[in-house]
Amino acid sequence: MSTALKLEGVRKSFGGLEVLHGIDLDVAEHEVVCLIGASGSGKSTLLRCVNLLEPIDAGRILLAGEEITARGVDVNRIRRQIGIVFQAFNLFPHMTVLRNVTLSPVKALGKPRRQAAAEADELLRRFGLADKRDEYPDRLSGGQQQRVAIVRALAMRPKLMLLDEVTSALDPELVGEVLNVIRELAEGGMTMLIATHEMSFAREIADRVGFLDAGVILEEGGPEEIFSAPREPRTQQFLQRIIEAGRL
C-alpha cells in the first residue's frame, strides 16, 4: 500500500519552546491513525504543520510523495488536497449550511454552483443533514455544526482528512453522532490522521495509534497493542489515568 503522508524529523518551536521534537510518522493510503496524549503534547501542532498552517523549523513533510514543505510550494494547492476540521466548528455564521459547504468548491476549485450544490446535497443527505441545508449555523446543535464542518471539508474531495479533537467542544450526548460520521468515513477508506481524547473510539476505529508525549511519538502500534500492552512507562501511566477516569 502506498504512503499517503510521511513526516521525517519534523521540528517546530514557538519562541524558545520546542513543541515537536523530530517527529517521524508514516500514514498509508486508506489508513486511520489516531494520535493520543495529554493536552499540550503536540497533537494539534502536528496537524497544523501537516496542513501548512504552521511552518516547520526542520525536517520535511510529504503528501503522496511530494515534499509539501519544500521552498516555493504553492500552499493553497496543497491545502485543497487536505481537509482539516478543528474543535471549533468555524462555520461562517452569515451563510446557510449549503453556502458554507459549497463556498470552497466554487471559489477554490472553480466548480459550477449547480454542480457544487448537487454534490453538497448528496453529502448532507449521507450524513443526515439534508433538512438543514437552508438553516444558518446558529440554528443547529453543536453536533450538527460539527457534522457540517466535516461535510464542508469533504466537499473538497481531499486525499487526507485531519481531525483535531472534533468532539471536545460537544456535550456528551452529541459526541456519538459526530463519531458515527468519522466511523463511516473510515469504513469508506478515507485516509485520516486524528487527534483525539476519545480513547474507546480510537481503540475501535484506528489502524494504528501513536502516543505523543512532550512533542515526541513515544510509541506507536496497533490499538490493542497500545491500549492493552503499552511498553513505555509514560504510556502506561497516561492510560492508567484514563482508565481511572472511566474513559476507557
Side-chain angles (χ1 to χ4, degrees):
M1 196 176 290
S2 58
T3 302
L5 177 70
K6 190 177 189 68
L7 281 72
E8 297 178 343
V10 170
R11 292 182 176 271
K12 174 66 186 176
S13 297
F14 294 104
L17 177 67
E18 190 170 54
V19 181
L20 299 178
H21 304 278
I23 297 282
D24 295 311
L25 179 68
D26 285 11
V27 181
E29 275 186 25
H30 312 302
E31 187 177 30
V32 178
V33 175
C34 285
L35 303 173
I36 63 170
S39 295
S41 58
K43 302 185 300 294
S44 294
T45 299
L46 192 156
L47 294 188
R48 291 174 66 84
C49 287
V50 170
N51 201 48
L52 306 182
L53 290 168
E54 296 287 353
I56 64 174
D57 299 320
R60 57 189 207 140
I61 300 174
L62 296 91
L63 180 70
E66 178 187 0
E67 186 182 345
I68 62 175
T69 46
R71 195 183 298 274
V73 163
D74 180 349
V75 170
N76 289 327
R77 177 178 64 81
I78 300 302
R79 287 201 189 123
R80 286 196 285 270
Q81 303 172 59
I82 303 174
I84 187 165
V85 183
F86 301 98
Q87 297 176 33
F89 320 125
N90 293 335
L91 298 175
F92 295 113
H94 62 293
M95 295 182 182
T96 64
V97 165
L98 184 66
R99 187 91 174 91
N100 264 283
V101 175
T102 58
L103 183 66
S104 290
V106 170
K107 296 279 189 190
L109 300 182
K111 279 190 180 175
R113 278 184 194 279
R114 187 172 292 180
Q115 180 188 348
E119 291 176 3
D121 280 336
E122 179 54 40
L123 282 170
L124 292 169
R125 200 163 35 246
R126 180 176 159 194
F127 295 116
L129 294 161
D131 60 332
K132 305 298 181 187
R133 75 190 294 275
D134 298 318
E135 297 280 10
Y136 288 87
D138 65 357
R139 299 287 302 275
L140 306 181
S141 71
Q144 289 166 341
Q145 289 187 60
Q146 192 60 290
R147 280 150 61 201
V148 171
I150 293 171
V151 165
R152 180 174 62 176
L154 290 173
M156 292 292 286
R157 300 189 180 278
K159 293 179 179 176
L160 170 69
M161 282 285 278
L162 307 174
L163 303 175
D164 185 16
E165 306 285 10
V166 293
T167 58
S168 65
L170 300 179
D171 294 333
E173 66 267 24
L174 299 177
V175 168
E177 65 188 61
V178 174
L179 296 184
N180 284 339
V181 171
I182 301 169
R183 193 177 285 115
E184 181 173 330
L185 292 179
E187 289 168 357
M190 174 64 73
T191 308
M192 289 189 280
L193 184 58
I194 303 173
T196 185
H197 286 307
E198 300 284 341
M199 298 300 146
S200 55
F201 180 71
R203 186 173 198 159
E204 172 202 337
I205 198 173
D207 297 303
R208 248 179 332 121
V209 175
F211 174 66
L212 258 79
D213 185 56
V216 173
I217 296 181
L218 207 54
E219 69 178 297
E220 61 176 291
E224 284 310 308
E225 183 185 342
I226 296 296
F227 289 114
S228 299
R231 299 183 307 277
E232 296 288 336
R234 179 69 187 94
T235 317
Q236 295 166 6
Q237 178 191 38
F238 172 78
L239 290 173
Q240 187 58 41
R241 286 183 182 160
I242 295 292
I243 290 165
E244 287 167 2
R247 289 172 52 202
L248 183 61

